[in-house]
Amino acid sequence: MKMTFLENLGLDRLQANGLYCSVKASGLRQNGEGSAFSVHSPINGMEVGRFQNATPAQLEEVIVTAEDAFKAFRKVPAPVRGELVRRIGNIAREHKEDLARVITLESGKIMAEALGEVQEWIDVCDFAVGLSRQLHGKTIVSERPGHRMMEQWHPLGPVAVITAFNFPMAVWAWNSMIGLVCGDTMVLKPSEKAPLCALACQAVLEKALATMPELPQGISSVIIGDREIGQLIAQDNRFPLVSATGSTAMGRSVGETVGARLGRSLLELGGNNAMIISETADLDLALRAIVFSAAGTAGQRCTTLRRLITHASIKDELVARIKKSYASLPIGDPSKEGTLVGPLVDQRSFEAMQNALKAAVAQGGEVLFGGERVTDGVPDGGYYVRPAIVSIRHDAEVVHEETFAPILYVLTYQDLEEAIEIQNEVPQGLSSAIFTESVREAELFLSPAGSDCGIANVNIGTSGAEIGGAFGGEKDTGGGRESGSDAWKAYMRRTTNTVNYGGELPLAQGIVFE
């Protein structure tokens, strides 16, 4: 099968003897020297590429490259760094479909969502370009006469980014486009399930960098490695910030390791997202949000809707409407037009879904719809499933766990305070939503006594966040914030400066020391 989109991105030139390079940095393009592995497409199990993991010695070379580049890059004016990001965004625009096809090939996303992910990268470039002229500090009044206080934000250093398979380009872009305008150098360790996406991102960046030869090389690197490489990255104090996206278990390990050396970690971890459906809700509007939030990306988003908390009086009507919508969802090859639900990423994910459904039944739940593997009309070798609907108690153990698959647990409530308690009782705290026509219910949901999540929406779903807002969640979701608003501050260091322009030296707090 000829994949011209790989050629268009130059990825074919990174292949020798059937192996793709596993280490990419300035002057360093080579295969890994560690264990070999193959990447298979979720679409049909086809081998996408073969790689070798990088070794600790190769990681050391990448870190040294990033350190050296940072010493020069931090001196480049922020608007010039913004110009680089502008050019990256324009090249991503030119290759939008090529990039989307790489995402579909490796992660199994339908093309519409893959194109949306590339658009997210483009959007965050636009945001970052504007940000490059707005890295503002404050001027602060001093209590001492003849003095002025101010704060500045300076580049932080080499930043490590560890990404997951489900948003292999967008998560890199959230971190790297912001990090670059902040003056940091970036080292990406992608998911072993999506290394080609990482190489595609790097190829676009390098094409833009080639148009600005005055900038230092080596400001962005890719290292393809296993858990050992990830652990070494977390341990290395030359990375003042490690941004990691993935499971709560992975994030806890990274956070503990980085914290032990007093480094910073930016963690975007699991979500067990809920939507409350009030008895006043517009059910037509809610239904559209439920179906996309719960079944989109085959349930493999961190913001996927997993718990539907519906008022008891409308449960039967709402479930009947969801079942009807689910039954009409086109399931199949994500690269084909018209498909709305693609495959799970691999057999392990399919088995996790089946185990969760068995556990739900054992804990008193009832599978109302779906859950089975789909084999008709889909490519052989992929793990396609029909999205599941399960009626169950809110306090069942399985409901409090995140299963990265399209399982929608339906829970009921009688009053809004109870619904909010149900929503907040799980360990995760990423995304949440309420559908209501009541201003009082909406405001309570958004109040300090309402949702405890990092994202709280009214009359829209839990998925599909815009890049302008800070993205992230609380509790076991990790507390990190990426993308918009003032999330850029995580990628910089703050200095507080006091300037004495007078002829005296008064001490703060009125201290006399003479």
Side-chain angles (χ1 to χ4, degrees), residues 184-240:
D184 302 330
T185 52
M186 312 300 297
V187 175
L188 168 62
K189 192 202 94 63
S191 164
E192 296 94 316
K193 297 176 183 178
L196 273 182
C197 287
L199 295 177
C201 291
Q202 180 74 6
V204 169
L205 184 145
E206 289 186 355
K207 188 174 181 180
L209 188 59
T211 68
M212 300 180 70
E214 69 275 17
L215 295 181
Q217 299 301 300
I219 60 174
S220 175
S221 301
V222 174
I223 185 158
I224 296 168
D226 55 15
R227 183 174 296 184
E228 178 190 9
I229 291 297
Q231 186 68 14
L232 290 173
I233 287 172
Q235 291 172 355
D236 202 303
N237 60 16
R238 289 171 291 183
F239 289 115

Side-chain angles (χ1 to χ4, degrees), residues 43 64 71 151 180 228 255 269 304 404 408 440 470 475 484:
I43 297 174
V64 170
K71 292 173 184 176
E151 67 178 21
L180 287 173
E228 178 190 9
L269 311 176
T304 290
F404 223 55
L408 180 63
R440 289 182 176 180
K475 302 187 294 188

Side-chain angles (χ1 to χ4, degrees), residues 178-498:
I178 303 295
L180 287 173
V181 298
C182 289
D184 302 330
T185 52
M186 312 300 297
V187 175
L188 168 62
K189 192 202 94 63
S191 164
E192 296 94 316
K193 297 176 183 178
L196 273 182
C197 287
L199 295 177
C201 291
Q202 180 74 6
V204 169
L205 184 145
E206 289 186 355
K207 188 174 181 180
L209 188 59
T211 68
M212 300 180 70
E214 69 275 17
L215 295 181
Q217 299 301 300
I219 60 174
S220 175
S221 301
V222 174
I223 185 158
I224 296 168
D226 55 15
R227 183 174 296 184
E228 178 190 9
I229 291 297
Q231 186 68 14
L232 290 173
I233 287 172
Q235 291 172 355
D236 202 303
N237 60 16
R238 289 171 291 183
F239 289 115
L241 172 64
V242 176
S243 175
T245 300
S247 69
T248 297
M250 180 278 290
R252 184 169 283 115
S253 175
V254 169
E256 289 174 355
T257 301
V258 175
R261 61 175 174 84
L262 301 182
R264 299 187 200 173
S265 57
L266 195 166
L267 303 177
E268 295 288 355
L269 311 176
N272 193 350
N273 313 295
M275 181 188 295
I276 298 171
I277 308 295
S278 165
E279 60 185 329
T280 70
D282 179 336
L283 293 189
D284 291 332
L285 195 64
L287 181 65
R288 293 172 59 192
I290 291 165
V291 174
F292 174 69
S293 296
T297 327
Q300 297 171 119
R301 287 181 179 234
C302 54
T303 54
T304 290
L305 175 61
R306 309 205 181 278
R307 296 177 298 137
L308 185 67
I309 307 170
T310 176
H311 194 274
S313 66
I314 59 172
K315 175 189 173 183
D316 291 344
E317 177 188 357
L318 183 58
V319 168
R321 296 182 68 170
I322 299 171
K323 288 168 67 174
K324 184 178 179 180
S325 292
Y326 271 22
S328 66
L329 286 174
I331 300 170
D333 186 337
S335 65
K336 303 298 184 184
E337 187 175 351
T339 299
L340 292 182
V341 179
L344 294 175
V345 70
D346 55 22
Q347 180 179 354
R348 184 177 176 183
S349 293
F350 173 73
E351 291 172 351
M353 179 178 182
Q354 299 310 304
N355 290 337
L357 291 172
K358 291 175 184 175
V361 172
Q363 293 167 27
E366 178 186 0
V367 178
L368 304 177
F369 183 89
E372 72 276 11
R373 186 174 181 180
V374 176
T375 55
D376 292 338
V378 301
D380 293 336
Y383 286 87
Y384 296 82
V385 295
R386 200 168 303 283
I389 304 169
V390 179
S391 178
I392 195 169
R393 302 186 328 272
H394 69 87
D395 56 353
E397 183 178 348
V398 70
V399 175
H400 289 227
E401 301 167 354
E402 181 190 36
T403 301
F404 223 55
I407 302 176
L408 180 63
Y409 297 115
V410 179
L411 322 172
T412 59
Y413 76 95
Q414 294 293 341
D415 60 70
L416 185 58
E417 287 79 4
E418 178 192 6
I420 292 172
E421 286 181 11
I422 291 171
Q423 179 195 281
N424 294 346
E425 69 185 3
V426 299
Q428 307 86 356
L430 178 53
S431 188
S432 60
I434 186 171
F435 273 78
T436 179
E437 296 295 285
S438 165
V439 172
R440 289 182 176 180
E441 287 187 331
E443 290 297 332
L444 176 59
F445 180 76
L446 299 177
S447 77
S451 170
D452 65 359
C453 296
I455 298 170
N457 296 330
V458 176
N459 291 338
I460 67 168
T462 57
S463 283
E466 299 178 30
I467 61 93
F471 180 89
E474 302 300 325
K475 302 187 294 188
D476 280 4
T477 300
R481 293 296 187 276
E482 294 173 325
S483 193
S485 186
D486 65 349
W488 60 270
K489 293 179 179 179
Y491 304 88
M492 305 197 81
R493 61 181 179 86
R494 185 197 318 237
T495 68
T496 300
N497 314 130
T498 303

Side-chain angles (χ1 to χ4, degrees), residues 13-15 19-35 37 50-66 187-190 195 198-199 202 206 220-226 229 233:
R13 295 191 293 275
L14 302 179
Q15 194 178 40
L19 286 168
Y20 282 94
C21 68
S22 294
V23 183
K24 290 190 82 227
S26 179
L28 181 66
R29 298 169 182 270
Q30 57 183 279
N31 293 324
E33 297 171 354
S35 58
F37 68 98
R50 286 181 288 144
F51 299 82
Q52 281 181 272
N53 285 306
T55 62
Q58 290 177 308
L59 173 62
E60 177 65 22
E61 291 182 73
V62 168
I63 295 174
V64 170
T65 297
V187 175
L188 168 62
K189 192 202 94 63
L199 295 177
Q202 180 74 6
E206 289 186 355
S220 175
S221 301
V222 174
I223 185 158
I224 296 168
D226 55 15
I229 291 297
I233 287 172

